[in-house]
Amino acid sequence: MSTLLLDRAHLEVRTDGDALALYENGARRGSVPLKLIDRCVIHGLRTRLDSGVLLKLAEAGASTVLLSPRTGRRVALVLGPAHNDATVRLAQARQVMDAGWCAAWAQQIVQAKLHRQARVLARWRQDRPDARLALTRAERGVATVREALAALHADSGDTFARLATLRGLEGTAARAHFAGLAAVLPPALGFTGRNRRPPRDPANACLSLGYTLLHAEAVTAAQAAGLDPLLGFYHRPAFGRESLASDLIEPLRAEVDAWVAALFRDRTLREDHFTRPESPGGACLLGKAGRQTFYAEWAAHAVRPLRRWLRWRCAALARVLRAQGESALAASAFDEDEDL
């Protein structure tokens, strides 16, 4: 199974039995069997396809992600058939309103995120003796936050205050982690920390695109498990945001950071793959050649372990919620013999 990237001008996609046929300027360039596609990413402004193509992809269980050709932000996501077990979503909706459940879930999410940040920083320190001082400082920063988080775990105070404290600790650890990332990236990239909307340097452009693709994977995994991607516990439900997907990707962000750092370390991506902003505050854009490289590397090396973890985490959460939902339904069921 693989990702099909559609990112060429004057490209048209048509259905051809159990395959997709690709045409460029009216000439057929090849075909791709649907059974080999698990994701389709459309990043081209002039890519043409009809509803039949989207229907074929959905029926084959492949998700289709439509990205803005300028910013790389996700515009739409087309998924296959939804899961049919309502008990999972019933319990999920109930737990969203349970402050204690949300606080415990958030605690686990932040703990997992800090654990992976510490692991990535330790790996960088071993690989980059020249940046050892900065990386040691970054590790100490994350370690201090982990100690504070362990103390918070034993605190039985107000749950809403606890969630606010968790967000503050997470932000402190993120600043330390990104300081470590800055130490291992080439100085010419100009990375001094996380920025977005728009990203203003090559590393941030790649981080934003990687997080966007990862978020789409989380939405897909959540729906496949019968979960509602909109109903998050740490990221609260908000209009237009798949908050559960945002929850799910937090522990995996450090892995995306490490992968992006490796792309620049190995010169897989270079400065000439990007268009720098012409004015302060402008967007740094990944060019077509860079996008081709980025997506190929993402499909070959990055997404598979992340996708496995998301599927496992969603399945585990769905099992817990399904048991709760079935219990709630059984407790509230009407007696069929009762006169109504």
Side-chain angles (χ1 to χ4, degrees):
M1 303 293 281
S2 61
T3 298
L4 173 64
L5 171 64
L6 304 177
D7 186 24
R8 297 175 66 88
H10 309 295
L11 181 66
E12 182 180 2
V13 186
R14 305 175 189 173
T15 58
D16 182 11
D18 292 329
L20 297 183
L22 308 179
Y23 291 79
E24 190 172 6
N25 295 320
R28 180 164 175 151
R29 298 300 185 187
S31 63
V32 183
L34 283 162
K35 64 182 181 180
L36 299 182
I37 304 172
D38 55 5
R39 298 292 183 277
C40 177
V41 178
I42 302 176
H43 204 146
L45 183 62
R46 300 176 184 175
T47 299
R48 292 181 296 167
L49 67 162
D50 58 27
S51 58
V53 173
L54 295 176
L55 180 62
K56 282 284 190 180
L57 285 166
E59 288 177 340
S63 59
T64 303
V65 185
L66 289 86
L67 301 179
S68 166
R70 291 289 297 172
T71 65
R73 294 186 63 189
R74 197 187 85 201
V75 177
L77 176 63
V78 181
L79 301 174
H83 198 284
N84 294 322
D85 191 348
T87 57
V88 175
R89 294 197 177 199
L90 172 65
Q92 185 180 356
R94 289 164 61 99
Q95 297 296 46
V96 165
M97 307 306 295
D98 186 329
W101 166 279
C102 292
W105 167 270
Q107 186 92 27
Q108 294 176 7
I109 290 293
V110 177
Q111 283 176 330
K113 182 175 184 177
L114 267 59
H115 170 73
R116 287 179 182 261
Q117 286 175 337
R119 189 171 66 183
V120 167
L121 287 168
R123 191 162 68 236
W124 284 339
R125 179 170 50 80
Q126 292 296 321
D127 296 341
R128 289 291 302 274
D130 58 308
R132 185 162 293 173
L133 178 59
L135 290 168
T136 299
R137 289 173 178 168
E139 282 187 279
R140 288 173 180 169
V142 172
T144 299
V145 175
R146 294 181 76 183
E147 292 172 1
L149 186 63
L152 180 66
H153 184 68
D155 184 9
S156 58
D158 179 76
T159 52
F160 291 105
R162 184 173 162 194
L163 283 169
T165 302
L166 277 171
R167 293 188 181 95
L169 291 173
E170 181 192 2
T172 300
R175 286 189 290 273
H177 171 74
F178 283 123
L181 177 58
V184 300
L185 287 171
L189 296 178
F191 180 85
T192 58
R194 183 77 177 109
N195 59 64
R196 58 196 182 103
R197 298 183 183 177
R200 297 188 291 276
D201 60 78
N204 270 297
C206 290
L207 292 176
S208 292
L209 182 53
Y211 296 158
T212 295
L213 295 175
L214 182 60
H215 192 272
E217 291 288 344
V219 173
T220 303
Q223 175 168 287
L227 300 164
D228 189 335
L230 293 170
L231 300 181
F233 307 113
Y234 181 37
H235 294 81
R236 303 302 295 165
F239 183 82
R241 180 177 73 186
E242 293 111 338
S243 298
L244 179 63
S246 297
D247 285 0
L248 291 166
I249 70 172
E250 288 299 337
L252 301 178
R253 286 180 182 266
E255 303 297 339
V256 175
D257 303 341
W259 175 72
V260 167
L263 290 180
F264 289 107
R265 178 199 64 202
D266 299 337
R267 302 286 291 171
T268 305
L269 285 178
R270 305 179 304 276
E271 287 183 78
D272 58 9
H273 283 130
F274 298 84
T275 301
R276 293 281 194 164
E278 297 179 357
S279 60
C284 178
L285 302 177
L286 185 58
K288 178 177 286 189
R291 291 198 300 270
Q292 293 284 345
T293 298
F294 183 97
Y295 285 116
E297 291 294 316
W298 175 263
H301 303 296
V303 72
R304 291 175 185 175
L306 303 178
R307 187 180 293 163
R308 283 196 298 268
W309 188 91
L310 287 170
R311 288 173 175 169
W312 167 81
R313 191 67 185 89
C314 286
L317 176 60
R319 281 195 298 271
V320 173
L321 293 175
R322 183 175 294 108
Q324 294 176 356
E326 290 173 348
S327 176
L329 284 176
S332 62
F334 292 108
D335 187 339
E336 294 181 357
D337 296 329
E338 182 180 352
D339 292 331
L340 297 179

